[in-house]
Amino acid sequence: MTTRIDARFADLAKEGRSALVTFLMAGDPDPATSLNIIKALPKAGADIIEIGMPFTDPMADGPSIQAAGLRALKGGMTLRKTLEMVRGFRKEDDSTPLVLMGYYNPIYIYGVDKFLTDAKVAGVDGLIIVDLPPEEDDELCIPALKAGLNFIRLATPTTDDKRLPAVLANTSGFVYYVSITGITGAAAADSKAVGDAVARIKRHTKLPVCVGFGIRTPQAARAIAEKANGAVVGTALVDALRDSLDTQGRATTKTVAAVADLVGSLAQGVRGAKQAAE
Amino acid sequence: MNPRLPNSFRSGPDERGHFGNFGGRFVAETLMPLILDLEKAYAVAKADPAFHAEMNGYLKDYVGRPSPLYLAERLTEHLGGAKIYLKREELNHTGSHKVNNVLGQIMVARRMGKKRIIAETGAGQHGVATATLCARFGLECVVYMGAVDVARQAPNVFRMEMLGAKVVPVQSGTRTLKDAMNEALRDWVTNVHNTFYCIGTVAGPHPYPMMVRDFQSVIGEETRKQMQEAEGRLPDSLIACIGGGSNAMGLFHPFLDDPSVEIFGVEAAGHGLTQLHAASIAGGRPGVLHGNRTYLLMDDDGQIQDAHSISAGLDYPGIGPEHSWLHETGRVTYLSATDDEALAAFMLLSRLEGIPPALESAHAIAKVAELAPKRSKDHLMVVNLSGRGDKDIPQITEILKGRKQ
Ligand SMILES: Cc1ncc(COP(=O)(O)O)c(C=O)c1O
């Protein structure tokens, strides 16, 4: 099975560059604006799009992404509407990979089988579920793989060589290396440490390795793109979105552009990387 | 769901931390290696007689165990039915059952070489117990507490600070216990290398629900022996309040395989089950939060709902996974008591026995007042007096003042 994710990395390999992976919260600050933002991302230079599924209790997220989730929920976002948004995006774009990222409970309540069917039909390519380690693969990972979706796992600095094979066993699409022990929006790791970690993971897998957490600027994105197959930026985009809102937290005419502009400069950073990772 | 009845109710969890369909290890990858380490370290400690000898020494001379099993004569007379015994956990050093678990976990943390301890707290009792033992063993201590709870349990905040702990008021979400737990998990993910997370109840990822239960089971084990000495037989019923469910599990677990013993857990019904409350079994359904699958209060989209209880220690939208299983198997009956019922029970026990209970424990007393009159005079009923009410006196004074106006 090849998914849009596999196809995208194959294309990037031909181009000889790494991917810019962007994260934004579905429905932030309202469903319509959020769809417009997502639609603007590919043109601005995003290679892979991660969409957060809002959850009240995001244990691995810092204040920015927590607040984005709460804005979305306040705006009436639900998992059903997130899938609707994916369908809206797919009407215009059939090639940019879309990955849903979040926590297990909303999926569990939606119903795992129904969710996988609906997600596949909507045009979702992969899932990143923060609170499902390999020890709980029976819950969603195995059914997702059977349904033809990629299940992208997080590897972290605490995932040692002994544990890596277990983490990688059912991973597909790419490996998401969390460069720090910490929550989203925390300080960045230095690129030397990231390079060593990516090399370590690559000794265990042929999958592309993307690196995230703490990447905020085009320079940082570029430095990471020189070490890994992709740089993931989330909190910086969510912050740019937030800064464009009015005092009531509503979207303004600047909101879509604020995000797209930052994506544009991050994309330049990634494209300026000296040497993409093997 | 109709789960097959097990041969024993005391054999769980399985090696993956499941009690039937509940429990598990739903945590971020960063924490997973540490949770596996903890599981190993705890298994080694549990099998080591030296660990138990050391723990029993502290339980006796530092905590002050065994806690008495006290016949509440005037309460019994007043209610006119079952003979009521109070298991006096409120007499423990630090004023509640929480210290039993904290002692155990701190000893495991020491074995693992961890120097920094974090905890979440609702009523502040778990925070106080953690701050106390960190002082005793010279460990750094950070306690996360919802900002709402910081305000309503002020005496415990002063106490933790006096003991040298850093108390961090949590401003996110509903600013109560669930958010304190989120924030503690965020700290843990960040400081995983040197930090031990001392969870205050029988919740969280495996092995916590099992480990906390084991450390609290001293309550039920003592009760068994003390009742044998007092009455020459087993009790007929057990009652305890439930936040996450640790004082209840500690009392219940040693009796789960004695079918003659009726067991009741009491959740917080807040303003009433059709309004804001904290009764996860009565008003929730199975979902996944804070590392385990269990009954939770949530909406149709799987978003966690705000809990409400007058008592900070019960103000949590979930319950330990083993309780969810005991509910589905029918072994334990889960009831609930409202804020008003708990307040009335607080006054009742204060006036009749001279023992102001913690507002948490008052929920259990409220159901004793309901059940005892319906039982015969030879029925032996044990209620877990999980904590003392001193911490609640400012809050209750405010409420009573408000009612007079
Ligand atoms: C005195 C007392 N009882 C009960 C509880 C509820 O916790 P659990 O259900 O884990 O016993 C608390 C929690 O803060 C408490 O302080």
Side-chain angles (χ1 to χ4, degrees):
Chain A
M1 157 192 100
T2 37
T3 64
R4 290 186 191 90
I5 298 175
D6 303 329
R8 177 59 46 109
F9 277 110
D11 290 348
L12 290 170
K14 274 185 228 145
E15 275 183 53
R17 69 172 178 91
S18 296
L20 172 63
V21 184
T22 60
F23 172 94
L24 286 145
M25 186 63 76
D28 179 20
D30 63 78
T33 308
S34 183
L35 177 57
N36 287 335
I37 292 172
I38 303 295
K39 281 180 175 171
L41 294 175
K43 221 173 105 214
D47 299 300
I48 296 177
I49 296 176
E50 288 178 11
I51 302 180
M53 298 175 279
F55 183 49
T56 38
D57 293 81
M59 314 175 306
D61 285 301
S64 288
I65 292 180
Q66 285 175 47
L70 293 181
R71 282 196 298 272
L73 291 172
K74 215 172 131 215
M77 206 58 188
T78 60
L79 186 50
R80 192 176 51 74
K81 288 184 187 167
T82 300
L83 293 174
E84 243 167 59
M85 195 171 122
V86 171
R87 281 198 297 277
F89 175 85
R90 278 282 171 250
K91 278 189 197 143
E92 298 178 8
D93 185 321
D94 196 36
S95 60
T96 305
L98 272 185
V99 175
L100 294 184
M101 179 162 184
Y103 297 80
Y104 183 41
N105 197 52
I107 295 174
Y108 180 69
I109 295 306
Y110 191 98
V112 165
D113 292 339
K114 181 170 155 42
F115 170 77
L116 292 173
T117 308
D118 292 357
K120 184 75 187 169
V121 170
V124 172
D125 301 294
L127 302 173
I128 303 176
I129 308 300
V130 178
D131 53 353
L132 286 178
E135 281 72 8
E136 302 291 349
D137 269 359
D138 296 341
E139 295 283 337
L140 183 66
C141 173
I142 305 290
L145 295 176
K146 282 196 186 131
L149 291 167
N150 286 133
F151 199 84
I152 295 139
R153 194 102 62 190
L154 305 175
T156 70
T158 58
T159 316
D160 60 17
D161 279 316
K162 220 172 92 228
R163 183 168 167 80
L164 255 177
V167 168
L168 296 171
N170 291 318
T171 302
S172 65
F174 61 92
V175 180
Y176 186 148
Y177 180 66
V178 174
S179 62
I180 49 157
T181 60
I183 53 179
T184 52
D190 69 273
S191 74
K192 161 84 172 67
V194 168
D196 293 347
V198 171
R200 182 167 74 87
I201 294 169
K202 284 192 173 277
R203 284 200 291 275
H204 293 265
T205 182
K206 291 197 164 57
L207 288 171
V209 180
C210 296
V211 174
F213 281 42
I215 305 172
R216 297 193 65 94
T217 62
Q219 295 73 20
R222 175 179 172 157
I224 295 297
E226 284 171 4
K227 310 281 185 192
N229 302 101
V232 189
V233 183
T235 298
L237 295 174
V238 168
D239 287 347
L241 187 158
R242 179 201 59 207
D243 292 344
S244 77
L245 302 177
D246 70 14
T247 51
Q248 316 289 309
R250 287 173 308 210
T252 64
T253 51
K254 298 197 197 90
T255 298
V256 175
V259 177
D261 289 351
L262 180 53
V263 170
S265 54
L266 291 163
Q268 277 186 352
V270 166
R271 280 156 217 252
K274 273 199 278 318
Q275 174 86 63
E278 287 301 300
Chain B
M1 214 179 296
N2 234 332
R4 288 223 337 262
L5 285 192
N7 296 326
S8 166
F9 288 97
R10 303 188 63 212
S11 57
D14 67 16
E15 71 285 356
R16 295 168 64 199
H18 293 143
F19 303 92
N21 189 34
F22 300 101
R25 288 174 288 206
F26 297 89
V27 295
E29 171 60 24
T30 313
L31 296 178
M32 205 54 226
L34 189 73
I35 283 172
L36 295 172
D37 281 353
L38 172 61
E39 192 184 333
K40 262 188 243 141
Y42 176 57
V44 171
K46 195 172 173 174
D48 180 358
F51 177 79
H52 294 281
E54 193 186 355
M55 187 158 70
N56 291 338
Y58 288 115
L59 282 175
K60 176 168 171 286
D61 298 327
Y62 191 75
V63 176
R65 301 204 72 92
S67 71
L69 185 69
Y70 163 74
L71 174 60
E73 277 181 293
R74 291 196 69 215
L75 183 66
T76 299
E77 197 180 309
H78 175 80
L79 295 174
K83 204 166 169 183
I84 301 158
Y85 281 88
L86 307 179
K87 180 59 176 164
R88 303 283 306 274
E89 290 299 302
E90 101 283 9
L91 292 177
N92 295 337
H93 180 43
T94 72
S96 82
H97 69 292
K98 296 286 182 188
V99 68
N100 305 328
N101 162 48
V102 173
L103 173 64
Q105 286 197 50
I106 294 294
M107 287 180 47
V108 174
R110 277 160 52 85
R111 287 183 155 226
M112 293 176 77
K114 303 285 182 185
K115 298 269 189 287
R116 179 174 181 269
I117 308 294
I118 59 171
E120 85 295 338
T121 198
Q125 289 301 115
H126 175 61
V128 165
T130 307
T132 298
L133 283 158
C134 285
R136 168 61 185 80
F137 290 106
L139 300 166
E140 184 188 346
C141 180
V142 178
V143 178
Y144 291 91
M145 188 168 187
V148 168
D149 296 338
V150 167
R152 64 177 158 174
Q153 305 276 258
N156 275 343
V157 177
F158 298 136
R159 200 161 154 197
M160 286 184 270
E161 284 172 348
M162 210 183 62
L163 289 161
K166 184 175 157 209
V167 180
V168 183
V170 175
Q171 301 290 352
S172 62
T174 52
R175 299 180 293 151
T176 57
L177 183 51
K178 131 182 125 70
D179 310 289
M181 193 144 181
N182 287 335
E183 218 48 48
L185 283 163
R186 290 179 186 125
D187 178 313
W188 200 22
V189 169
T190 307
N191 300 297
V192 62
H193 294 291
N194 67 346
T195 297
F196 186 96
Y197 182 12
C198 182
I199 296 185
T201 191
V202 285
H206 179 63
Y208 282 98
M210 168 184 80
M211 181 170 70
V212 176
R213 173 201 73 196
D214 291 351
F215 292 143
Q216 290 293 3
S217 289
V218 64
I219 302 172
E221 282 153 15
E222 284 177 8
T223 300
R224 239 185 134 88
K225 234 173 87 200
Q226 291 166 321
M227 191 56 101
Q228 194 64 38
E229 280 159 18
E231 301 276 356
R233 65 181 182 91
L234 288 174
D236 298 301
S237 60
L238 308 173
I239 304 187
C241 70
I242 297 197
S246 67
N247 86 87
M249 196 53 74
L251 175 63
F252 300 169
H253 196 257
F255 294 98
L256 289 177
D257 285 338
D258 298 292
S260 70
V261 182
E262 274 185 288
I263 308 183
F264 300 95
V266 184
E267 299 189 290
H271 297 316
L273 290 179
T274 55
Q275 300 172 50
L276 275 179
H277 65 83
S280 335
I281 284 189
R285 55 184 163 143
V288 174
L289 180 71
H290 292 156
N292 64 94
R293 175 165 24 233
T294 194
Y295 274 74
L296 299 168
L297 299 180
M298 61 179 127
D299 68 13
D300 291 340
D301 189 43
Q303 305 298 337
I304 306 305
Q305 280 172 329
D306 301 357
H308 163 80
S309 170
I310 189 172
S311 85
L314 307 187
D315 201 345
Y316 180 69
I319 183 169
E322 194 167 7
H323 284 292
S324 293
W325 178 72
L326 290 169
H327 163 67
E328 289 207 341
T329 54
R331 177 61 187 101
V332 176
T333 304
Y334 292 85
L335 309 169
S336 59
T338 63
D339 289 352
D340 287 347
E341 288 176 310
L343 265 178
F346 176 94
M347 299 309 294
L348 184 73
L349 197 68
S350 300
R351 297 284 165 86
L352 286 178
E353 298 288 349
I355 303 174
L359 271 177
E360 290 77 16
S361 326
H363 286 71
I365 305 290
K367 291 297 118 168
V368 168
E370 201 176 290
L371 293 171
K374 297 180 197 149
R375 301 290 190 276
S376 64
K377 289 196 193 297
D378 60 357
H379 179 106
L380 304 177
M381 184 176 275
V382 176
V383 55
N384 201 4
L385 200 61
S386 57
R388 60 176 172 237
D390 307 39
K391 70 185 174 58
D392 300 310
I393 288 168
Q395 187 193 357
I396 290 175
T397 309
E398 282 302 306
I399 292 170
L400 296 181
K401 252 196 250 158
R403 289 194 177 173
K404 277 196 194 122
Q405 279 162 9

